[in-house]
Amino acid sequence: MTFASGIEPGNAGIAADSIVTPKIFINTGFENASPMNWSIDSAGRVIGAMVYDHERFSPNRAVNHYHFRVEAAEGTEVTLILENFDNIWNGRLASDLSEKSRYVVSFDNKKWESHPVIPLPGRRVFIKFKMEAPFAYIASVEPYRISDLDRMLAKVKQSKNASVTTIGKTSEGRSLEIVRIGNENAPKRLFLRARAHAFEAGGNWTVEGLVQKLLSNDQEAKRYLKTYCVYILPMANKDGVARGKTRFNANGYDLNRKWDKPADSLVAPENYYLEQWLHRMIKANKRPDLALDIHNDAGGYLHVSRPDGDISAYLSSMEKLEMLLRKHTWFTAGSTKPTFRNPGTLGEGFMERFGIHAAVYELNYEWIAGLNKAPLAEDWISLGKNLGEVFYNYFNEGR
Ligand SMILES: [Zn+2]
């Protein structure tokens, strides 16, 4: 069939001879890959339009996560321009992309390198590199996928002094696990949550390091586990991780908000089942003595909550925690200012509703000042390994 205009229906305005066959393909068909549209412009550059992650009943939207595979012949010079970083945060347009923005690249999906990105006007990210293999994985943060978690859970299950308990299901029906390492009757209990926000893989790598250390059964690990038992919800926002989203759960719910009230089992099952587990722990006389919710941001502070009431014992615990983090790990960022409050976060909710000394611990995903380098998985793993000593001293000093 021929058309009078010479243009096929559906290609309105694009003359057939102007369409160039691209030599680059962008693949997003794998776990944790980010949803995006892409095209190749006349200069042969890849224009990647990221898809926003939207909060339910709120103007907030976020894109921090990108993760995709570039497929092209070895030696090809690839230029990527990524757009749609006009994030809305607490109802306001977020600031421009940081000059410190980084990306990570891997040519074998195992070993990753970090490089600076060039922020372009209009909140766009400019990345240029040469293909060292027929494919290159590009991401905003070194990825930690559900398959990485499954490998860790398998190791925990093989270990004598540890267990994996399914406490419920995510919005999309994925299982939510609590890892326990150590003796349930140890004098102290510690709770950690990671990955409430889907792009923040640093928390998962940190937990990985702590779990490796505690399962190593070396003299230090034995000493730690005489003092405390650790309970971990390692990947709270599994659906977001599976779908390559940035922040919210599958229902557009922020799992680090509204902790001042009981969670809705339909909209936020990830929080609901955690609360149910916590109620059971408290009923069984196993209230955690300390809880940390591990996140990534561009600041890296320990977020000390300041709800109303007498919080002097809590504040001195947090001072001790900060001092021990500085002493035993590469942490140098310090705590949030005394004027800082953190309403609605897990840190403040656990404090106010359950009487647990709790805080949000942010890891800077752009730069580790204490190491003077951009973070990779190995740096967060080393942090996690040293957290064992931090918690040991936290529970033993000043008792
Ligand atoms: Zn976060």
Side-chain angles (χ1 to χ4, degrees), residues 196-200 247 254 256 294-297 360 362:
H197 295 144
F199 96 92
E200 300 169 12
R247 188 173 178 94
D254 189 327
N256 198 28
I294 311 175
H295 288 254
N296 275 129
D297 75 357
V360 170
E362 297 278 359

Side-chain angles (χ1 to χ4, degrees), residues 64-67 102-104 112 138-143 199 365:
N64 280 92
H65 177 77
Y66 51 85
H67 183 193
R102 314 275 307 183
Y103 75 100
V104 290
W112 295 78
I138 301 286
S140 47
V141 172
E142 184 167 341
F199 96 92
Y365 66 91

Side-chain angles (χ1 to χ4, degrees), residues 303-306 311-319 351 357-359:
H303 284 213
V304 174
S305 305
R306 287 178 181 80
I311 55 167
S312 50
Y314 165 73
L315 290 179
S316 65
S317 290
M318 290 301 112
E319 223 170 88
M351 258 277 281
H357 286 184

